[in-house]
Amino acid sequence: MPLTLAVPGEEIIIRRIGGNEEVRAHLQNLGFVPGGTVMVVNSIGGNLIVNVKGARVAISKEMAQKIMV
């Protein structure tokens, strides 16, 4: 399922990253890597604030849909 469907406060494991090479590289630079854990902190209008590798990151709904958990 995409990250947009994750329950806030629940720690989940990233299964794969979709999108073109540029999008995947950008997400990996932010810390979204397969096998890594992520926790949704808050969802505002579909956009997400997530905790990844000890840092809070805001990502758009479109980007979050490319992260499969």
Side-chain angles (χ1 to χ4, degrees):
M1 75 175 175
L3 184 59
T4 53
L5 299 178
V7 177
E10 182 179 317
E11 192 168 281
I12 45 181
I13 298 173
I14 298 170
R15 300 291 176 206
R16 68 181 178 86
I17 307 292
N20 62 33
E21 186 61 37
E22 185 179 330
V23 170
R24 286 195 308 263
H26 176 68
L27 289 171
Q28 287 179 353
N29 286 338
L30 291 174
F32 296 95
V33 293
T37 59
V38 64
M39 182 176 67
V40 176
V41 176
N42 199 357
S43 176
I44 304 167
N47 299 322
L48 300 176
I49 298 173
V50 297
N51 193 351
V52 60
K53 294 193 175 186
R56 287 191 177 187
V57 179
I59 57 172
S60 68
K61 181 179 181 179
E62 292 77 22
M63 287 291 217
Q65 297 236 348
K66 295 179 183 352
I67 301 169
M68 296 297 156
V69 295

